[in-house]
Amino acid sequence: MSEEATPRAEKPRKFQAIKGVRDLLPPETALWNNVEQTANSVFSTYGFGEIRVPIFEPTELFARSIGVDTDVVGKEMYSFDDRDETSVSLRPEATASVCRAYIEHGMQQLPQPVKLYYTGPMFRRERPQKGRYRQFYQIGAEILGGQDAPAIDAEVIEMVMTFFDKLNLQGVELSINSIGHNAPNCRPAYVELLRAELTKVKDKLGPDSQRRIDTNPLRVLDSKAENEQAIIATLPHIADHLCAECAAHYAAVKRQLELRGVIYQENWRLVRGLDYYMRTTFEITAEGLGSQNAVCGGGRYDGLVELLGGPPTKGIGFAIGEDRLILSLQEQARQAESANAASGASPGKSPVTSHHSLDVYVAWMGEKTYATAVRAAKDLRQAGFSVELPPTEQKFGKALGQADKLDAKFALILGEDEVTEGLWTLKTLDDGAQVKLPEPALIEHLCNSLNARKPL
Ligand code: AMP
């Protein structure tokens, strides 16, 4: 556009991120990386490989798998017509996509089961609040194919709990339930019973629950409405209506969890919001999150691959809300810091509080030193240190002030004397100690002192 085309008086619009959508900035992103790397290393010890699925898919894929009567599909998807007029949607979750990919790439030909994990953004148009966003991030895993052995349910739960444990997440509580399966003598019979009981008390329920009596009575059990709690407490429990196979499967899952030392509580109201679940469902909550305290939800979905046009395939998986996981870790770190401050103890280095740390600030003075400074910065970065090289010359005092502001651990002082002598000055900013060393010895000195301080 030519300059003349821009009207002079008009102030450029200031843009802001869309409601419910946020930027993640350093130093917080270091924590996100840390969490994702931990997921990668824990999940790979259980034999999972990473899958990356598209951000958008045909709307039909989600409608068919998650269910048209769910809030996610009915009210929360970002859907639009593509230029060829097919409806596409930003993914509200990734299980449907993983199953689509399993079918599309003929993964049933691979040794079964296939174990896949993913990380990435999901999109749901929910009412934003702390811990609930319209673009949020999930870390999830799916096991597809093979058997529906209860040991698999227990192992996948053990894996999430191990991951949380590795992150030192506090106040973790696991709830489990079984919601039976779709065969006629199991969940459908219970759903009818529930519908009949709910119809009797319909007048006492709010509009959402009243609507769900028709569309999805199980979801009434999810209700948080204060005035419905006493009514819900009197409803029949699914555990008393499971068929023999589902009851045996559930009992075996509990035994398998106990065998693995995984502590759980049972919650008969845990039905989960998405239609495709069957038998085992689970949810994990953590501290410091207020009302949105679920950090992970998951369960078994043996019919889903078939529903999407694939062969009959067993399936189980979970999705962790990464935003909430991070919020909980941050809250935990804040509490630990204030407890330390109160007791006068020095705060331990935690992955949550450690910010992007600068190892060396190169304080170069005099044009003649610049080429050496550039080389020194490059060599130190090659050796793995984080280095800040000011692009223009600074006075000594200003350079050290800047090094201090950036919280550098060392200042490498390069004046003309240092460069001619080949002896560089290294100042430790904590205590002001200085040493003069030739370059190779200086790198070794830095390695020794930084490694001694770096947490493992
Ligand atoms: P779901 O896919 O609904 O089973 O959710 C799995 C997990 O994703 C939940 O336990 C939350 O931790 C997280 N989650 C779901 N929706 C949101 C959202 N709108 N904002 C942040 N996290 C979410």
Side-chain angles (χ1 to χ4, degrees):
M1 197 194 276
S2 74
E3 266 180 43
E4 288 80 13
T6 316
R8 275 214 196 113
E10 206 176 289
K11 258 197 167 174
R13 176 180 162 191
K14 259 197 185 166
F15 289 98
Q16 280 192 330
I18 290 168
K19 192 175 165 205
V21 166
R22 48 199 195 124
D23 300 304
L24 303 171
L25 308 173
E28 192 185 293
T29 38
L31 177 56
W32 285 72
N33 274 310
N34 189 308
V35 162
E36 286 159 22
Q37 276 156 20
T38 306
N40 173 295
S41 64
V42 172
F43 296 175
S44 50
T45 64
Y46 283 81
F48 285 72
E50 187 187 1
I51 181 168
R52 298 191 187 197
V53 289
I55 299 281
F56 63 108
E57 298 266 10
T59 300
E60 179 65 17
L61 174 71
F62 301 118
R64 188 113 53 98
S65 55
I66 301 170
V68 279
D69 290 329
T70 58
D71 286 351
V72 171
V73 170
K75 304 196 223 161
E76 297 168 359
M77 276 207 300
Y78 286 94
S79 303
F80 54 97
D81 282 343
D82 205 346
R83 284 168 196 258
D84 63 3
E85 291 180 6
T86 52
S87 177
V88 293
S89 296
L90 299 186
R91 60 184 190 194
E93 53 105 60
T95 303
S97 304
V98 174
C99 290
R100 191 231 355 103
Y102 178 86
I103 301 165
E104 186 171 336
H105 301 286
M107 288 192 229
Q108 63 271 25
Q109 309 302 333
L110 300 174
Q112 304 292 300
V114 174
K115 300 180 183 182
L116 300 166
Y117 82 91
Y118 60 84
T119 61
M122 309 295 158
F123 306 85
R124 294 183 197 172
R125 201 173 192 289
E126 295 194 81
R127 195 170 51 77
Q129 64 182 94
K130 181 184 168 198
R132 201 206 270 154
Y133 310 101
R134 290 180 171 176
Q135 174 173 339
F136 60 99
Y137 295 78
Q138 286 187 335
I139 301 176
E142 318 289 352
I143 301 184
L144 292 165
Q147 313 167 26
D148 60 356
I152 294 178
D153 306 42
E155 191 176 84
V156 87
I157 294 173
E158 177 197 291
M159 180 171 90
V160 195
M161 298 300 268
T162 304
F163 169 56
F164 287 158
D165 204 43
K166 279 264 159 32
L167 292 173
N168 199 18
L169 184 70
Q170 302 292 308
V172 177
E173 284 186 9
L174 162 69
S175 304
I176 61 166
N177 192 21
S178 173
I179 56 169
H181 64 63
N182 278 327
N185 61 344
C186 195
R187 188 164 66 202
Y190 172 72
V191 169
E192 276 322 306
L193 177 68
L194 201 57
R195 186 172 275 136
E197 291 301 314
L198 286 167
T199 307
K200 290 185 203 159
V201 292
K202 187 169 179 179
D203 296 347
K204 297 185 188 138
L205 300 172
D208 279 346
S209 293
Q210 287 195 358
R211 189 168 41 80
R212 286 178 178 142
I213 297 178
D214 295 324
T215 58
N216 195 347
L218 276 181
R219 288 299 312 281
V220 176
L221 304 182
D222 254 356
S223 161
K224 302 267 182 324
E226 208 46 59
N227 60 326
E228 295 180 354
Q229 300 308 308
I231 302 164
I232 294 172
T234 64
L235 295 170
H237 291 199
I238 192 159
D240 303 327
H241 298 271
L242 292 176
C243 66
E245 288 118 46
C246 284
H249 191 272
Y250 186 38
V253 170
K254 288 187 275 182
R255 274 199 308 279
Q256 286 281 347
L257 286 172
E258 284 150 25
L259 183 71
R260 290 168 164 76
V262 176
I263 297 168
Y264 62 86
Q265 58 202 23
E266 290 180 78
N267 176 2
W268 69 276
R269 287 177 55 177
L270 186 67
V271 291
R272 318 262 323 113
L274 318 179
D275 265 6
Y276 52 62
Y277 286 114
M278 58 173 288
R279 288 196 166 162
T280 311
T281 56
F282 59 95
E283 187 168 88
I284 302 170
T285 55
E287 282 180 356
L289 291 168
S291 61
Q292 303 303 318
N293 65 348
V295 285
C296 174
R300 179 164 282 288
Y301 50 83
D302 291 348
L304 183 55
V305 170
E306 204 175 350
L307 188 72
L308 296 175
T313 305
K314 309 292 181 200
I316 183 165
F318 63 81
I320 293 165
E322 193 176 358
D323 308 71
R324 293 186 194 173
L325 173 58
I326 302 261
L327 277 173
S328 182
L329 288 170
Q330 287 170 326
E331 181 54 35
Q332 201 177 296
R334 256 192 297 278
Q335 281 174 13
E337 256 168 43
S338 47
N340 277 333
S343 72
S346 71
K349 235 191 172 191
S350 95
V352 179
T353 49
S354 66
H355 42 77
H356 166 76
S357 56
L358 176 59
D359 295 324
V360 184
Y361 189 90
V362 184
W364 59 276
M365 279 145 294
E367 276 305 318
K368 287 187 193 140
T369 68
Y370 185 58
T372 309
V374 169
R375 184 169 60 76
K378 197 167 174 188
D379 289 351
L380 289 170
R381 286 174 177 144
Q382 287 277 345
F385 299 113
S386 69
V387 177
E388 197 59 40
L389 175 68
T392 52
E393 196 180 351
Q394 295 166 317
K395 293 222 158 60
F396 186 66
K398 174 125 192 265
L400 284 194
Q402 189 66 11
D404 224 34
K405 262 196 217 152
L406 295 176
D407 210 9
K409 294 177 190 117
F410 295 95
L412 173 61
I413 299 164
L414 293 176
E416 286 181 12
D417 287 352
E418 274 88 359
V419 171
T420 21
E421 282 170 32
L423 281 177
W424 299 356
T425 304
L426 189 72
K427 186 179 174 84
T428 311
L429 289 163
D430 265 358
D431 58 8
Q434 282 192 192
V435 282
K436 271 196 153 201
L437 296 166
E439 181 181 355
L442 185 126
I443 291 191
E444 198 180 75
H445 177 83
L446 274 174
C447 279
N448 290 339
S449 42
L450 287 173
N451 286 343
R453 291 209 234 155
K454 271 189 183 153
L456 290 176

